Amino acid sequence: MAEIWTPLKLLAWTQDYFAKKSVDSPRLTAELLLAHALGCDRVRLYLDFEKPIQEPELATFRALVKRRADGEPTAYLLGKREFFGRSFAVSPAVLVPRPETEALVEVALAALPAEGPASVLDLCTGSGAIAVSVALGRPGTRVVATDVSEEALLVARANAEKLGAVVEFAHGDLWAAVHAGDRFDVIASNPPYIPSGELAGLSREVRREPCIALDGGPEGLDVLRRVVAGAPSRLAPGGVLAVELHEGHAERVVALCREAGFEHSEGRKDLAGLPRYVVARMAGRPTGL
């Protein structure tokens, strides 16, 4: 007689299996994958915890468990990731949005007027998480998002459409994608910033993400230098640049901002207490920062 699997029994087995495979958050991951396989939410798993699971659903779940145990990120398996209170579609073409990056959205929203015309540029948009979140937070703001990857822009456009955000998307390498006459009140960017030599030491899950979105060159500063150098000529008076970066680079990027002509620049820490961002401001009218 075939063994009968219920949600409770399956979760217990999978949690133990994931723990042995060093999968992060084994119980939560098991719940997310099982809910996805069954087409329900996690609460339903416990409401129907003794309900037998049928073989087609079991087969779907087994395949997801194997892929996750082999190192495929949970977000890619689910095809989505939560960011700033919304669900964003993701695929192997884009970096998985992290909670740390939400701080860039918060900086942008704080720097923008509650009403009235304003403009924001999101460089290296990836899934579009920053651009879409800002556009929805300030509906009257013009938001432009660029990426060098056409595949990433397809994902970003789909997210904007699904969530009802008005965003202009442009394909190109950093400033090459931006019209020469455009000036922005805020420029936000989560560029590739991992030093090339550190890529091999990243977790197997992160190594599944697009290298183009991770590799920042030998020092990890190749793209950041270009972002900082080009930002002053693209910012309006009093405009703000906010970038995410490697925890070891904050002081150097602050110095780069000063050399580029920013009136003020400072490093800021993430929730773990690591220096994760630099926020810089041009001279001119005051902002909300």
Side-chain angles (χ1 to χ4, degrees):
M1 182 177 178
E3 187 170 8
I4 297 176
W5 288 96
T6 64
L8 201 62
K9 184 177 180 181
L10 205 53
L11 288 174
W13 185 92
T14 307
Q15 178 182 356
D16 181 62
Y17 177 71
F18 278 162
K20 292 176 181 176
K21 292 290 186 178
S22 299
V23 171
D24 61 307
S25 305
R27 181 70 178 196
L28 174 60
T29 302
E31 291 174 356
L32 289 170
L33 295 183
L34 184 56
H36 183 66
L38 297 179
C40 66
D41 58 30
R42 289 163 56 207
V43 174
R44 177 55 58 183
L45 298 178
Y46 291 96
L47 294 176
D48 296 335
F49 66 93
E50 290 292 356
K51 181 180 179 180
I53 298 175
Q54 302 304 308
E55 184 55 40
E57 296 162 326
L58 275 175
T60 298
F61 180 65
R62 290 191 189 104
L64 292 171
V65 168
K66 182 181 186 305
R67 290 168 63 188
R68 183 65 190 88
D70 288 342
E72 195 165 342
T74 302
Y76 289 166
L77 297 175
L78 301 178
K80 61 184 180 180
R81 179 63 176 260
E82 294 295 313
F83 182 87
F84 217 74
R86 300 180 180 91
S87 179
F88 283 81
V90 296
S91 78
V94 300
L95 200 69
V96 176
R98 266 80 168 171
E100 294 84 359
T101 307
E102 293 182 359
L104 296 183
V105 178
E106 293 169 352
V107 169
L109 295 177
L112 293 169
E115 297 179 357
S119 58
V120 175
L121 172 63
D122 175 17
L123 291 171
C124 309
T125 193
S127 65
I130 294 173
V132 170
S133 298
V134 171
L136 293 174
R138 293 288 188 276
T141 296
R142 179 192 180 211
V143 179
V144 178
T146 76
D147 206 287
V148 72
S149 167
E150 291 183 336
E151 292 79 7
L153 287 174
L154 288 174
V155 176
R157 286 192 180 97
N159 278 319
E161 182 176 351
K162 180 187 71 171
L163 294 169
V166 178
V167 179
E168 300 172 30
F169 293 99
H171 174 247
D173 183 17
L174 295 182
W175 307 112
V178 182
H179 293 301
D182 277 348
R183 296 295 179 269
F184 300 91
D185 297 288
V186 176
I187 296 174
S189 182
N190 178 21
Y193 58 72
I194 305 297
S196 302
E198 294 185 13
L199 294 174
L202 298 175
S203 70
R204 57 182 183 167
E205 288 80 11
V206 175
R207 293 198 305 272
R208 293 289 191 98
E209 299 183 57
C211 186
I212 193 173
L214 296 169
D215 190 351
E219 297 176 278
L221 292 169
D222 283 6
V223 181
L224 270 164
R225 283 196 182 97
R226 295 170 58 206
V227 169
V228 171
S233 64
R234 305 302 182 121
L235 282 166
V240 170
L241 171 68
V243 294
E244 185 173 329
L245 39 74
H246 188 282
E247 62 195 62
H249 291 157
E251 290 186 7
R252 295 180 68 182
V253 175
V254 165
L256 288 173
C257 289
R258 290 172 181 159
E259 293 167 8
F262 284 90
E263 180 182 57
H264 174 78
S265 59
E266 65 179 25
R268 296 187 183 181
K269 295 181 179 180
D270 60 19
L271 294 176
L274 299 173
R276 183 65 60 195
Y277 323 97
V278 164
V279 178
R281 186 180 64 247
M282 297 297 294
R285 58 182 170 76
T287 70
L289 291 181

